[in-house]
Amino acid sequence: MLQLDNIRKSFTEPVKKITELFSKQARRIYAVDGVSLKVGHDEVLGIVGESGSGKSTLAKTVARIYEPDEGKIIFMGEDITHISHKKLLEYRKKIQMVFQNPYSSLNPRRKVKDIIGDVMRLHGLENDYSVNDALRAVGLDADYGNRYPHQLSGGERQRVAIARALALRPSLIIADEITSSLDASTQMQILNLLRKIRREHSMSMMFISHDLAVVNSVSDNIAVMYGGKVVEQGSAYDIISKPLHPYSQALIESVPDPYRGWNPKIADVENRNPATGCKFASRCPYASNKCYEKHPPFIHVSQGRKVACYLYE
Ligand SMILES: Nc1ncnc2c1ncn2[C@@H]1O[C@H](COP(=O)(O)OP(=O)(O)OP(=O)(O)O)[C@@H](O)[C@H]1O
Ligand code: SF4
Ligand SMILES: [Mg+2]
């Protein structure tokens, strides 16, 4: 369904000192730094990583909200890395993004039925599938169509955002932190809804969260991101039961356990992304000199399982 080859996306670093204002050379930070991934038909690929690891930048690059600096995006066999505006509209019908904050992603001045209806009309789909069908698919009855976003709870708003994405019958949904702003029980309901949607509709999904437990609950496979790079990939079962990368291990350690408390083994230091070498080196308890020299290549550990760490050479 989707193949990413060595995607890089950078931004100009914000000016920190007044003297930098006059510097001719703007510094670039690579939010996504050489990511290669595949998402298969009907697969849910979970992307997990801490804040600032580049998850949203990757999502927006795949959705072509951003254009990558380097690399290739192949979607359903077609190279869509630099497609024209006209083709982009077609592509946006097939790839839908649902964001973290349903407050800002829904137009406050439009009723729910118009929010969903507008995108269907834009893509010429209003005759194939009705707004009520879309609402029903996310467990909301037709009455909700007449409400405005402020008349909905956070969970209901997120259901509307999912309904709007589903209404276009996409082949791929990118869900970026869609449960992060919800309380625990609403989060559970949305995750159950996603599982139901998966059973009923054939579609692939990139499911992004900083919360490993949430990612694990819906994903077939997981990619762990750190500092703009994927550092480990494998089946959800393998990543959770036997994490290999020291950062993945720390992530699992940090999932709250009522019996152990929170006990991450990694250091939280200022310099998170050294210019050369492994991006995790300054926080890694196993770092050696070599780790500071060159970023480790991926080591294929078994079928579908790879890790970027010198410990597995
Ligand atoms: N538009 C932008 N301009 C400049 N820098 C940006 C921009 N968007 C993201 N960044 C930087 O890129 C890095 C990755 O950000 P990104 O939002 O992709 O991380 P994330 O993994 O989604 O984090 P979070 O879990 O907090 O959502 C960060 O250092 C961020 O400051
Ligand atoms: S390559 Fe080195 S610094 Fe990076 S995670 Fe592995 S052991 Fe730690
Ligand atoms: Mg994000």
Side-chain angles (χ1 to χ4, degrees), residues 245-246 278 280-281 284 286-287 291 296 309-311:
H245 196 279
C278 173
F280 191 55
C284 179
Y286 312 106
C291 302
C309 173
Y310 286 120
L311 294 176

Side-chain angles (χ1 to χ4, degrees), residues 10-261:
S10 67
F11 298 106
T12 309
E13 201 171 42
V15 172
K16 289 184 196 130
K17 292 186 212 140
I18 194 84
T19 49
E20 287 177 4
L21 269 175
F22 306 103
S23 152
K24 286 212 174 82
Q25 217 173 2
R27 279 189 303 180
R28 314 285 301 165
I29 41 164
Y30 279 88
V32 174
D33 192 4
V35 168
S36 298
L37 286 173
K38 280 183 185 165
V39 186
H41 279 274
D42 275 342
E43 176 186 341
V44 177
L45 175 70
I47 312 247
V48 69
E50 67 191 14
S51 184
S53 56
K55 307 179 297 294
S56 296
T57 306
L58 181 67
K60 288 176 185 164
T61 308
V62 172
R64 278 298 319 274
I65 295 169
Y66 296 148
E67 190 159 351
D69 299 4
E70 286 172 46
K72 256 190 194 170
I73 308 171
I74 313 284
F75 178 64
M76 297 175 91
E78 197 185 342
D79 185 342
I80 53 102
T81 324
H82 306 289
I83 49 170
S84 65
H85 269 286
K86 195 166 154 245
K87 279 212 140 191
L88 207 54
L89 187 67
E90 223 175 276
Y91 173 59
R92 292 242 167 91
K93 185 163 102 187
K94 294 181 187 150
I95 296 191
Q96 281 295 300
M97 216 173 145
V98 184
F99 297 94
Q100 168 173 0
N101 191 346
Y103 293 80
S104 60
S105 65
L106 303 178
N107 185 341
R109 292 194 198 91
R110 304 284 286 159
K111 285 185 177 171
V112 165
K113 63 180 178 194
D114 299 320
I115 289 171
I116 299 173
D118 285 349
V119 289
M120 290 166 85
R121 275 185 288 281
L122 178 69
H123 292 281
L125 283 176
E126 70 268 42
N127 297 327
D128 302 11
Y129 188 62
S130 74
V131 169
N132 290 352
D133 290 334
L135 286 174
R136 207 171 305 121
V138 297
L140 295 176
D141 56 46
D143 296 349
Y144 279 86
N146 286 317
R147 296 201 197 180
Y148 288 93
H150 74 269
Q151 294 170 318
L152 304 171
S153 71
E156 287 164 350
R157 257 182 232 132
Q158 202 53 296
R159 282 174 195 265
V160 170
I162 296 170
R164 179 177 55 181
L166 282 178
L168 296 185
R169 300 294 170 117
S171 305
L172 176 77
I173 286 196
I174 304 174
D176 187 6
E177 301 276 10
I178 62 169
T179 61
S180 304
S181 59
L182 307 174
D183 63 62
S185 77
T186 315
Q187 191 174 59
M188 202 59 76
Q189 288 169 18
I190 296 289
L191 292 174
N192 285 337
L193 171 67
L194 286 186
R195 281 192 284 263
K196 175 177 161 281
I197 290 169
R198 270 204 77 182
R199 283 195 303 275
E200 292 172 0
H201 303 260
S202 159
M203 81 176 75
S204 311
M205 194 183 300
M206 259 173 87
F207 184 88
I208 297 169
S209 174
H210 64 281
D211 186 329
L212 189 60
V214 166
V215 168
N216 181 40
S217 71
V218 288
S219 307
D220 302 307
N221 295 304
I222 293 179
V224 181
M225 278 188 82
Y226 185 84
K229 289 185 182 288
V230 172
V231 294
E232 181 168 2
Q233 245 180 283
S235 71
Y237 177 82
D238 281 349
I239 300 273
I240 301 292
S241 61
K242 196 168 180 288
L244 299 176
H245 196 279
Y247 176 63
S248 315
Q249 292 169 359
L251 265 185
I252 294 198
E253 288 281 325
S254 67
V255 171
D257 178 335
Y259 302 103
R260 283 184 303 139

Side-chain angles (χ1 to χ4, degrees), residues 259-280:
Y259 302 103
R260 283 184 303 139
W262 193 71
N263 181 30
K265 286 209 179 105
I266 52 172
D268 194 3
V269 293
E270 267 292 292
N271 178 18
R272 289 191 172 188
N273 296 327
T276 56
C278 173
K279 300 225 175 180
F280 191 55

